[in-house]
Amino acid sequence: MEVKLELYEFGEQVFKKHLIQSMEDLGPFLNGDHKFWLNVDSLNNQDLMEGLAAVFDIHKMALEDIKSNGQRPKIEDYGHFILIVIKMLYSKNQGLDIESEQVSIIFGKNYVITFQETPFDIFDGIRARLENPKGRMRKNSTDYFAYALVDAIVDEYYLLLEKITDRIEILEDSIVSQDKNVKLAEIYHQRKYIQEIKKVIWPTRELLSVWRKSENPLIKKRTAPYINDVYEQTVEIMENLEMQRESITTLVEIFMSNISLKQNEVMKTLTIIATIFIPLTFLAGVYGMNFENMPELNWRYGYWGTWLVFLSISLLMVLYFKRKRWF
């Protein structure tokens, strides 16, 4: 079966990149002295998935979890290997359009396999660290490598949270300054992004909690502090998410209060105008009845006199309202 997979072979003094074109090419690495990382970026090749399951003795339930992209983040112990299912969140552009992808990580005694839905990933930093002969990536066991992959994914959560925080601060400044360009939909978009991260980070924290308590011999004691560290990061992210969610709630309240204030200003203006016209309408109604015994109707200056009365009343009422500070 012909395939095209990238395999990274590494050890304290060794780092090589190989192109795997068939399942037979994996043979020399299975029982070799070095560790290796195999990255699979397509789950649609049924023959490939079944071939890998046969070569690495992947349990059929684990294979189902890998192929099902709607899995909740979790960790499963299969004895000779451990399966980690986690969600990779990222934004490809400068905006905040969050994309989600399931990443499944299997690690055994001398191998790590990652399964992704698409070729895009955030593991370039991992590849760069593998090239460093003095780094921990080459010296430590495969559980440390799995930790490094999970840590890279959690770090991306931080970057997304920072973008959300920055955007919320901009929205807050705009709302407080009563910028007319701010829309309520923008605020709800930020809340949606927070919910997306929260929906992922909560089970991820549970995953790490189970991982750090595992007694599988594949997980070394010297890796425990690193797992604890990334666990604490997820706790911190959860706390920050709660803070930002409260900030969003406050922004919505301020936004709605601004709308209410604007409506009140409009209503106040209309009320003042209507109040000014009440006596004018009364006078116009009285003299609009056209009774025969209304001496002012025949007065030579009656029209201009009426306008003078109208303007005087309006001016006096405006001055009165101004003195009362009603506007």
Side-chain angles (χ1 to χ4, degrees), residues 20-21 31-32 63-64 93 101 120 165 172-173 178 188 193 202 206 213 234 256 264 301 308 323:
I20 303 299
Q21 297 182 329
N31 299 313
L63 194 61
E64 286 299 319
N93 50 43
E101 178 183 342
F120 180 85
T165 302
E172 184 178 5
D173 293 339
Q178 298 187 357
Y188 280 108
Y193 297 142
W202 188 272
E206 295 178 3
K213 296 175 184 177
T234 59
M256 298 307 295
N264 289 340
Y301 300 105
L308 179 61
R323 185 175 181 182

Side-chain angles (χ1 to χ4, degrees), residues 135-147:
R136 295 193 186 99
M137 298 294 292
R138 294 194 191 180
K139 297 177 181 179
N140 290 339
S141 52
T142 55
D143 62 327
Y144 179 86
F145 195 101
Y147 144 77

Side-chain angles (χ1 to χ4, degrees), residues 30-253:
L30 296 178
N31 299 313
D33 297 330
H34 304 134
K35 299 180 286 290
F36 64 90
W37 170 32
L38 182 65
N39 187 43
V40 181
D41 55 23
S42 177
L43 307 180
N44 298 324
N45 191 328
Q46 185 69 20
D47 293 336
L48 170 62
M49 299 300 290
E50 291 179 356
L52 290 172
V55 171
F56 292 96
D57 190 20
I58 300 175
H59 194 279
K60 63 179 182 179
M61 295 301 295
L63 194 61
E64 286 299 319
D65 287 340
I66 293 169
K67 292 191 292 185
S68 177
N69 58 11
Q71 290 293 321
R72 191 171 184 266
K74 63 179 181 178
I75 183 169
E76 297 286 349
D77 188 341
Y78 288 92
H80 63 289
F81 73 85
I82 290 177
L83 168 65
I84 296 174
V85 178
I86 192 169
K87 293 290 185 179
M88 178 169 62
L89 301 179
Y90 54 86
S91 177
K92 289 183 179 180
N93 50 43
Q94 295 298 321
L96 197 57
D97 295 326
I98 297 179
E99 300 189 41
S100 175
E101 178 183 342
Q102 178 173 301
V103 177
S104 301
I105 304 169
I106 285 181
F107 66 93
K109 183 178 180 181
N110 70 324
Y111 65 87
V112 178
I113 311 174
T114 50
F115 298 89
Q116 302 176 203
E117 298 176 41
T118 63
F120 180 85
D121 63 41
I122 55 174
F123 298 139
D124 288 341
I126 301 294
R127 297 180 178 92
R129 290 170 65 184
L130 276 178
E131 297 179 13
N132 181 10
K134 297 181 180 180
R136 295 193 186 99
M137 298 294 292
R138 294 194 191 180
K139 297 177 181 179
N140 290 339
S141 52
T142 55
D143 62 327
Y144 179 86
F145 195 101
Y147 144 77
L149 293 170
V150 172
D151 185 54
I153 292 173
V154 172
D155 284 344
E156 197 67 21
Y157 299 163
Y158 262 117
L159 296 178
L160 292 174
L161 183 57
E162 286 179 5
K163 287 184 178 181
I164 293 173
T165 302
D166 292 342
R167 182 57 187 159
I168 289 175
E169 289 178 355
I170 293 172
L171 283 173
E172 184 178 5
D173 293 339
S174 300
I175 291 173
V176 171
S177 62
Q178 298 187 357
D179 186 349
K180 296 180 179 179
N181 295 322
V182 179
K183 306 296 182 183
L184 186 61
E186 293 184 50
I187 303 175
Y188 280 108
H189 282 158
Q190 305 310 312
R191 187 165 72 174
K192 175 187 173 184
Y193 297 142
I194 288 175
Q195 288 298 110
E196 286 185 31
I197 299 177
K198 187 177 180 180
K199 188 168 62 176
V200 169
I201 199 68
W202 188 272
T204 301
R205 186 178 67 172
E206 295 178 3
L207 177 161
L208 291 164
S209 179
V210 173
W211 188 2
R212 65 180 186 168
K213 296 175 184 177
S214 175
E215 296 181 357
N216 190 302
L218 290 172
I219 301 176
K220 311 301 181 184
K221 288 185 178 180
R222 60 184 178 182
T223 310
Y226 300 106
I227 300 174
N228 287 332
D229 179 68
V230 73
Y231 173 81
E232 293 298 329
Q233 290 181 38
T234 59
V235 172
E236 183 179 348
I237 292 174
M238 280 297 300
E239 292 174 351
N240 287 334
L241 286 172
E242 286 299 319
M243 292 174 58
Q244 297 308 321
R245 189 175 67 85
E246 292 177 4
S247 297
I248 287 291
T249 302
T250 303
L251 286 184
V252 172
E253 292 175 355

Side-chain angles (χ1 to χ4, degrees), residues 287-305:
Y287 287 101
M289 292 186 292
N290 295 321
F291 288 123
E292 290 184 4
N293 296 321
M294 295 181 73
E296 292 87 354
L297 293 178
N298 297 319
W299 184 31
R300 180 179 179 183
Y301 300 105
Y303 175 75
W304 298 109

